[in-house]
Amino acid sequence: MKNSFIILFLLSFVFSSCKKDKKQTTAYTLLQPYKFPVFENDVEKGITEEGIALGRRLFYDPILSGDGTMACATCHKQEDGFSDKRQFSIGIDGSVGKLQAMPIMNLIWNEDFFWNGRSKSLENQALEPVENPIEMKAHWNIVIDKIKDDKVYQEMFDDAFPEQEITKELAVDAIAQFEKILISSNSKFDKLLIGEYAMTEQEQRGRALFFSEEADCFHCHTGNLMTDLSFHNNGLDANPKPGLETVTNNENDKGKFKTPSLRNLAATAPYMHDGRFATLDEVLDFYSSGVQVSPTIDELMKQGTNGGVQLTEQEKEDLKAYLLLFNDPNFLTNPAFASPF
Amino acid sequence: MKNFLGLLLTTVVLMACNKKPEAGNFTLNLSHEVDGERLALDNMRYSSPAGHTYEITKLWYYLSDIRLIETDGTIQNAAEGFLVKAEDTNTQSISLNDVAAGNYNKIQFQFGISKANNVEDYLVATVDNQSMFWPEQMEAEGEKGDYHYMKLEGNYDSLKTGKLNPYIVHSGPTNGADNSFIIEFPLEEFEINNNSAELNIKVNLKEWLQNPTVYDFKDWKMVMMNQNAQNIYKANGQSVFSAGQLTISEE
């Protein structure tokens, strides 16, 4: 009896030792950059080192596309502020997109995604391009099957999401985790705020214009994100495209598109939702004298009836000098954001 | 022994009678109206006193430093700024928790943010608060940027031309001036003691445009640096808010 008890005890000890402990993930600490908005609604929670590593690999991997030739990074290149130098991105079968690929940076503070705000989370946003027939033209179930057959991904998914089945929801969760850490906060403008940069006279003149009621850039390109994260019709067309109206079905939203950030402006050409302006000079010419009035033009485009804010050539140069302070070379070359392949 | 029991009973009775008053909650419920109608954004349906048809597309403003005043004059402060957004009903109820027990008969609050409080980083750096930024160059020399008090925006239809025109009513500390102002309402005396009180406040937006000065959109295009425009907002704003029903409910 005594021996049986001891054997049983030893056996149960051996079995419990063999039982695999559930893997632990490593929480990623996201630091809030100086003078940036606080993180709201716990958006910074749940990001892990393992999730970022997986999301980064998926972001750069053409496995997500129908023919294995196109990754997220194909149209969102780091050196271009994770946007596309081409006016419209080209899909796997040569289809041409209709809008400019939006830059990916500082998205953790965003609540609406795409130019018309049709997606309400980064995770949801990441679902769409994979199946979009003019983009990656794949099917998530086929993509997930391919991922499940890949030994590296089997391990990375298990590291990021221990003991969970690989699904498209987990895939976009990981991609969103990677995108959330793509924070650009190390420009000359940021250095200016902490006293490590002094503006030239021209940049100071540009800044005065930027924050003036006359040029009035600051109401839409506001705060340290350089965007109010809202939607405006900035007077590009007399008969604008629907924009936000597509989502809200409200005719008052016709022609409203999401305000892009001005960060990394030099890298994110071409400009506007349809990439119609190849250079910053063209953008400044537009705001100066190319504005078209339409029924939903934003109230802040108060000089719209005059065609724009009527900048002199010197003022345009000054403003451009200030706008270029928002470039962040570290962000564009940070190896942690680069391809893992 | 008999004496001891008597003492014990007396103590228990006295303790029960001396129950300490407890803090409660106070809520301001704001309702935005034009011409007695609930505000409908993006709707070209209102008539301005200056003779224009107009719409309101955006209304964001701060109320701050809400003070409940006890009958003995004691002021209970909530030294905070609250951003009210016409499109977001969650921002239109301002709740003050743990209001000290007492008898109250007055409420004051600041429209906008007072000079003392309107300083860089006074408010939590949310995206919304950052988008209410008032630039440093529109402040007094040596002062840093802070916050708009209000952004009221829309369009008006000039009756003569039929053309749509934008208007912008942005109030704030023009050149460092304190253009915020205090609103005060006497209230029927009420007690806070482990209960909740709610006060309805009507916000009649038309008053911004008419009382005492008729405000004609066409006369005011750029207003942030125009103290004359700010003076009109400050004067007209006095009659925008009016106190309605006060409701007390026990916890």
Side-chain angles (χ1 to χ4, degrees), chain A residues 46-327:
Chain A
I47 303 176
T48 65
E49 299 280 1
E50 296 82 0
I52 293 166
L54 173 60
R56 179 182 174 199
R57 186 179 177 89
L58 287 166
F59 184 87
Y60 282 98
D61 194 340
I63 197 170
L64 296 187
S65 62
D67 63 356
T69 61
M70 188 176 178
C72 307
T74 307
C75 303
H76 295 279
K77 292 193 188 311
Q78 181 181 11
E79 64 267 29
D80 301 331
F82 289 99
S83 68
D84 196 340
K85 269 199 165 47
R86 300 168 293 185
Q87 181 178 11
F88 302 120
S89 302
I90 311 291
I92 62 165
D93 64 359
S95 299
V96 180
K98 293 172 182 157
L99 297 171
Q100 236 284 295
M102 296 190 83
I104 300 175
M105 69 182 89
N106 301 338
L107 293 187
I108 191 166
W109 287 278
N110 285 239
E111 291 180 346
D112 306 288
F113 301 87
F114 293 115
W115 285 104
N116 61 10
R118 66 183 179 274
S119 177
K120 299 298 173 193
S121 72
L122 260 178
E123 292 80 359
N124 182 266
Q125 185 281 328
L127 281 172
E128 193 179 301
V130 171
E131 294 200 330
N132 191 322
I134 62 167
E135 295 184 33
M136 299 163 101
K137 205 177 179 179
H139 296 288
W140 267 111
N141 54 348
I142 296 172
V143 170
I144 293 300
D145 284 344
K146 284 194 280 181
I147 288 174
K148 281 178 174 173
D149 288 341
D150 185 304
K151 282 204 162 38
V152 175
Y153 275 124
Q154 286 168 13
E155 198 163 311
M156 292 185 82
F157 266 88
D158 193 48
D159 288 345
F161 307 106
E163 296 178 18
Q164 294 188 57
E165 190 187 348
I166 296 173
T167 62
K168 66 178 180 183
E169 285 77 18
L170 291 186
V172 294
D173 184 316
I175 292 171
Q177 287 187 46
F178 172 61
E179 290 177 331
K180 284 177 184 176
I181 69 157
L182 299 178
I183 292 178
S184 175
S185 61
N186 197 17
S187 65
K188 280 185 182 170
F189 173 80
D190 298 291
K191 291 183 167 63
L192 177 70
L193 296 179
I194 55 173
E196 291 182 1
Y197 180 74
M199 283 188 288
T200 65
E201 283 184 17
Q202 185 175 40
E203 288 161 352
Q204 288 180 43
R205 289 196 301 271
R207 182 176 195 251
L209 271 169
F210 186 90
F211 286 109
S212 69
E213 273 188 289
E214 288 76 15
D216 202 352
C217 312
F218 74 97
H219 274 114
C220 296
H221 297 288
T222 191
N224 279 22
L225 297 177
M226 315 291 173
T227 165
D228 60 358
L229 302 178
S230 189
F231 298 82
H232 301 274
N233 172 358
N234 62 346
L236 285 168
D237 298 298
N239 185 20
K241 293 273 191 313
L244 181 63
E245 182 188 19
T246 314
V247 177
T248 62
N249 291 317
N250 181 346
E251 63 181 7
N252 294 309
D253 291 331
K254 187 174 185 179
K256 293 183 182 177
F257 293 91
K258 188 160 186 193
T259 311
S261 171
L262 298 183
R263 284 186 174 270
N264 293 301
L265 208 48
T268 57
Y271 307 102
M272 305 295 158
H273 65 275
D274 53 7
R276 68 177 67 187
F277 300 130
T279 65
L280 265 179
D281 295 317
E282 288 179 30
V283 173
L284 292 170
D285 286 344
F286 158 70
Y287 281 115
S288 182
S289 57
V291 174
Q292 305 276 321
V293 174
S294 65
T296 59
I297 189 170
D298 201 275
E299 296 72 36
L300 293 163
M301 302 297 293
K302 48 194 176 296
Q303 309 265 45
T305 48
N306 301 325
V309 295
Q310 308 298 323
L311 299 170
T312 65
E313 291 308 309
Q314 182 63 55
E315 286 172 330
K316 288 178 198 171
E317 288 302 314
D318 294 345
L319 202 44
K320 190 164 78 171
Y322 181 66
L323 296 175
L324 293 176
L325 289 180
F326 306 146
N327 291 326

Side-chain angles (χ1 to χ4, degrees), chain B residues 70-71 102-106 186-191 246 248:
Chain B
E70 296 188 55
T71 48
N103 292 313
Y104 292 86
N105 65 354
K106 202 184 286 179
L187 302 171
E188 196 177 318
E189 185 177 332
F190 67 98
E191 185 184 20
L246 176 71
I248 312 291

Side-chain angles (χ1 to χ4, degrees), chain A residues 35 37-38 208 213 219 295 299, chain B residues 120-121 125 130 137 154-155 223-224:
Chain A
K35 294 283 184 188
V38 293
E213 273 188 289
H219 274 114
E299 296 72 36
Chain B
E120 190 183 26
D121 298 332
Q130 285 208 346
Q137 70 192 50
N155 295 290
V223 294
M224 292 176 71

